[in-house]
């Protein structure tokens, strides 16, 4: 047998080749008023695709799976949810929702197996099985559920009921309502901290955010914000809560003190808001029908620097953009680290993230290795090395 020892230093090449996630914005075509999704590359802040949706002309919520493989768009006008392939940016399935008004928004379970849809005036939540892209369950809910979020471990679903001014808590195993929590007037947006400790609900008519402790299921604080708050998102490090006020402006809540510590002046009609997985950029949707030559934020997505709260740019999209919900994937986009070494009979592979110092080793089967499947986690800019030591074929 001939010994073969190869040190493969893919280092900076693999880490730097990593892509940035997309932002998916529900809106309407400028000419036809047809429902569409504008796909924004967050690396360049350019619209790279426009995806037509169904036959309706009224859009609302948006959600993206944690890994970015699927995006789900609400087409309120024809009561459907469109399933978008994250690789091809095309609609691969359309799911009918049994409601006469809605659906409004939706959320994807952390494992991507289910999508929970807030159906609006039908007072239900629909559960979509993502394997079949069919509704597998319809759950009775409070008055006009309009927003939904799933806990990071997938065990609980939190639903904002607009007319009841409550948040319903659903057990993901039994699909039964286990609690109903009174919040402020007309909750319309909802998010949960990445550590699962708190749920934040925006109260449209209360001009406030209700903070729910997920351990006690009580409102631990009510934070005054701007006029008519709509969208809300928590930063990846749990430290900040960003609130899009439809009356104008972005409010920033410090999660430690539960006070507003910053704001960015933007035009009225703000709606959806989301943040990149690294927490560096905030994307805020302006729900305007018509552009304003003197105001670039109208009918656009504003990109805000999370460190300075300064506006980096405005990205023009179609009419009445909404995108209520998490319209950017929550997990970092990861490079697929694979390789092949011929001729090899047997050996060992050591995958190392030199930036985070994570090491993964495994036995080589055949001549192909896959560090990601073995458990190596890589973020943008990380340096990675792969060492392959094997015995060559005779």
């Amino acid at each position: 047998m001939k010994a073969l020892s190869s040190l493969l230093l893919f280092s900076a090449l693999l880490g730097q080749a990593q892509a940035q996630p997309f932002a998916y914005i529900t809106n309407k075509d400028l000419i036809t008023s047809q429902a569409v999704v504008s796909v924004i590359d967050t690396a360049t802040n350019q619209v790279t695709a426009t995806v037509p949706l169904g036959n309706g002309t009224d859009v609302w919520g948006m959600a993206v799976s944690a890994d970015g493989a699927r995006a789900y768009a609400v087409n309120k006008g024809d009561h459907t949810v469109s399933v978008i392939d994250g690789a091809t940016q095309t609609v691969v399935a359309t799911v009918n929702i049994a409601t006469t008004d809605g659906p409004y928004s939706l959320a994807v379970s952390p494992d991507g197996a289910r999508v929970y849809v807030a159906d609006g005036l039908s007072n239900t939540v629909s559960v979509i099985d993502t394997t079949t892209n069919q509704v597998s369950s319809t759950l009775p809910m409070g008055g006009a559920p309009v927003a939904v979020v799933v806990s990071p471990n997938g065990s609980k679903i939190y639903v904002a009921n607009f007319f009841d001014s409550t948040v319903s808590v659903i057990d993901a195993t039994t699909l039964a309502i286990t609690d109903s929590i009174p919040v402020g007037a007309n909750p319309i947006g909802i998010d949960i901290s990445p550590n699962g400790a708190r749920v934040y609900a925006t109260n449209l008519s209360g001009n406030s955010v209700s903070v729910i402790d997920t351990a006690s299921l009580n409102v631990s604080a009510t934070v005054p914000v701007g006029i008519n708050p709509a969208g809300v998102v928590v930063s990846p490090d749990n430290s900040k809560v960003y609130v899009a006020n439809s009356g104008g402006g972005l409010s920033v809540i410090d999660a430690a003190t539960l006070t507003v510590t910053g704001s960015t002046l933007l035009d009225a009609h703000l709606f959806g808001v989301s943040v990149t997985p690294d927490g560096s950029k905030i994307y805020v949707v302006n729900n305007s029908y018509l552009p304003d030559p003197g105001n670039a934020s109208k009918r656009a997505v504003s990109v805000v620097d999370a460190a300075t709260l300064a506006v980096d740019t405005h990205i023009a999209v179609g009419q009445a953009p909404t995108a209520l919900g998490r319209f950017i994937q929550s997990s970092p986009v990861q490079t697929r680290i694979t390789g092949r070494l011929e001729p090899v009979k047997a050996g060992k592979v050591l995958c190392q993230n030199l930036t985070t110092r994570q090491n993964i080793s495994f036995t080589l089967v055949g001549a192909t290795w896959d560090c990601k499947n073995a458990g190596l986690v890589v973020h943008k800019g990380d340096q990675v090395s792969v060492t392959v030591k094997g015995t060559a074929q005779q």
Side-chain angles (χ1 to χ4, degrees), residues 186-239:
N186 304 126
I188 192 171
I190 196 166
D191 198 28
I192 190 168
S193 56
N195 62 12
R198 289 173 173 168
V199 168
Y200 298 87
T202 54
N203 305 309
L204 184 72
S205 300
N207 299 332
S208 63
V209 173
S210 294
V211 183
I212 299 170
D213 182 296
T214 58
S216 66
L217 294 179
N218 291 318
V219 174
S220 58
T222 301
V223 184
V225 287
I227 299 172
N228 301 138
V232 59
V233 67
V234 186
S235 64
D237 65 358
N238 305 287
S239 69

Side-chain angles (χ1 to χ4, degrees), residues 17-371:
Q18 196 166 4
Q20 290 292 291
F22 294 104
Y24 294 85
I25 310 299
T26 46
N27 60 95
K28 299 196 290 187
D29 184 271
L30 290 175
I31 298 173
T32 66
S33 293
Q34 196 68 28
V36 298
V37 168
S38 297
V39 183
I40 298 171
D41 185 333
T42 60
T44 63
N45 286 329
Q46 299 293 316
V47 176
T48 58
T50 301
V51 185
L53 303 180
N55 296 315
T57 57
D58 192 5
V59 290
W60 198 265
M62 191 78 223
V64 185
S65 62
D67 61 1
R70 289 286 186 269
Y72 299 87
V74 163
N75 189 348
K76 186 171 173 285
D78 66 359
H79 317 303
T80 62
V81 170
S82 296
V83 184
I84 299 171
D85 184 283
T88 63
Q89 308 299 3
T90 57
V91 174
V92 294
T94 300
V95 185
N96 292 313
I97 305 296
T99 178
T100 57
D101 176 76
Y104 279 80
S105 65
L106 65 181
V108 188
S109 62
D111 62 2
R114 287 175 172 174
V115 176
Y116 300 95
V117 187
D119 296 338
L121 292 182
S122 65
N123 299 334
T124 56
V125 164
S126 297
V127 183
I128 298 173
D129 182 322
T130 60
T131 302
T132 62
N133 286 321
Q134 299 290 326
V135 173
S136 58
S137 301
T138 302
L139 315 177
M141 207 51 53
V146 293
V148 58
V149 71
V150 187
S151 63
N153 65 6
S155 66
K156 301 291 183 184
I157 304 102
Y158 300 88
V159 182
N161 301 301
F162 188 79
F163 288 148
D164 279 4
S165 295
T166 61
V167 169
S168 298
V169 185
I170 302 171
D171 183 291
T173 301
T174 64
L175 295 180
I177 295 176
T178 58
D179 287 279
S180 181
I181 306 164
V183 291
N186 304 126
I188 192 171
I190 196 166
D191 198 28
I192 190 168
S193 56
N195 62 12
R198 289 173 173 168
V199 168
Y200 298 87
T202 54
N203 305 309
L204 184 72
S205 300
N207 299 332
S208 63
V209 173
S210 294
V211 183
I212 299 170
D213 182 296
T214 58
S216 66
L217 294 179
N218 291 318
V219 174
S220 58
T222 301
V223 184
V225 287
I227 299 172
N228 301 138
V232 59
V233 67
V234 186
S235 64
D237 65 358
N238 305 287
S239 69
K240 297 288 190 292
V241 182
Y242 302 109
V243 180
N245 300 297
S246 56
L250 177 73
S251 297
V252 183
I253 299 172
D254 184 300
T257 63
L258 293 178
T259 57
V260 173
T261 56
S263 62
T264 299
L265 182 62
L266 293 167
D267 198 69
H269 309 294
L270 302 187
F271 215 74
V273 59
S274 202
V275 64
T276 52
D278 63 4
S280 65
K281 292 188 286 187
I282 310 156
Y283 286 72
V284 189
V285 179
N286 185 309
N287 181 243
S288 299
Y289 275 81
L290 297 173
D292 181 349
N295 187 343
S297 71
K298 277 195 178 285
R299 209 201 65 212
V301 178
S302 299
V303 184
V304 178
D305 184 291
T308 65
L309 296 183
V311 177
D312 287 342
T313 189
H314 303 289
I315 307 166
V317 290
Q319 299 176 36
T322 48
L324 191 67
R326 292 185 178 178
F327 55 79
I328 301 175
Q329 71 183 78
S330 58
S331 298
V333 180
Q334 296 185 2
T335 305
R336 189 169 180 80
I337 307 168
T338 61
R340 185 171 181 83
L341 186 64
E342 293 283 11
V344 171
K345 181 179 181 181
K348 295 282 188 180
V349 178
L350 172 63
C351 304
Q352 297 175 288
N353 186 322
L354 303 179
T355 304
T356 64
R357 299 186 180 181
Q358 181 193 17
N359 298 327
I360 299 289
S361 61
F362 54 93
T363 301
L364 185 67
V365 178
T368 302
W369 69 87
D370 188 330
C371 292

